[in-house]
């Protein structure tokens, strides 16, 4: 029974981590055209009990795209302004991977919940 409850905890932590990852990907996609926007990155680690622990949100330090648009209000004297460092292909791939990982954790959570309920029903007889 303890293993099933541990499975619920592990799956729940995985769902929470992937939900956070998906939220950051969608924020990055939404701000891809925002001048000066740096994409958000979150690292994850495994705790001693096996659960997934999200790290702090960091901003991607890679260079911002330089856009030549002389009429833009943020353009410098040469007509350039900073774009974002969001790569739409990477963000869409990350979002899909996070969604699929979330769904896999959800299936594991549901199976462990059903087995736990089955054991409880069996013990009540």
């Amino acid at each position: 029974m303890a293993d099933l409850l541990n499975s619920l905890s592990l799956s729940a932590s995985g769902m929470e981590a992937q939900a956070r990852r998906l939220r950051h990907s969608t924020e990055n996609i939404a701000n891809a055209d925002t001048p000066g926007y740096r994409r958000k990155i979150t690292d994850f680690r495994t705790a001693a009990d096996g659960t997934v622990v999200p790290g702090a949100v960091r901003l991607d330090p890679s260079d911002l795209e330089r856009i030549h648009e002389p009429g833009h209000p943020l353009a410098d004297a040469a007509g350039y302004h900073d774009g974002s460092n969001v790569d739409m292909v990477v963000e869409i791939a990350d979002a899909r991977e996070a969604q699929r990982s979330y769904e896999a954790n959800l299936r594991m959570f549901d199976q462990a919940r059903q087995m736990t309920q089955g054991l409880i029903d069996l013990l009540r007889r």
Side-chain angles (χ1 to χ4, degrees):
M1 184 79 158
D3 288 341
L4 289 175
L5 294 176
N6 189 37
S7 296
L8 290 169
S9 176
L10 294 174
S11 295
S13 72
M15 287 189 296
E16 183 180 339
Q18 295 306 327
R20 180 180 287 197
R21 182 177 170 204
L22 184 58
R23 183 173 51 248
H24 291 311
S25 287
T26 55
E27 288 175 6
N28 290 339
I29 290 170
N31 287 294
D33 293 330
T34 303
Y37 181 81
R38 292 190 178 274
R39 72 185 283 257
K40 294 179 181 178
I41 303 170
T42 302
D43 294 326
F44 300 97
R45 62 178 179 80
T46 305
D49 63 354
T51 57
V52 179
V53 180
V57 177
R58 296 180 296 115
L59 299 179
D60 185 351
S62 65
D63 293 335
L64 297 173
E65 178 185 11
R66 294 289 291 161
I67 300 171
H68 185 257
E69 193 175 356
H72 195 278
L74 297 176
D76 59 15
Y80 288 92
H81 68 89
D82 290 334
S84 72
N85 62 355
V86 175
D87 183 346
M88 292 295 284
V89 174
V90 170
E91 295 304 328
I92 291 170
D94 282 351
R96 284 184 180 166
E97 184 179 343
Q99 179 183 2
R100 288 184 179 140
S101 295
Y102 181 93
E103 290 168 357
N105 279 298
L106 180 59
R107 283 192 295 276
M108 291 300 294
F109 184 89
D110 191 46
Q111 287 179 352
R113 185 189 55 78
Q114 288 174 7
M115 289 191 295
T116 303
Q117 188 60 47
L119 279 175
I120 291 171
D121 293 343
L122 185 65
L123 293 173
R124 286 184 181 166
R125 290 184 191 168

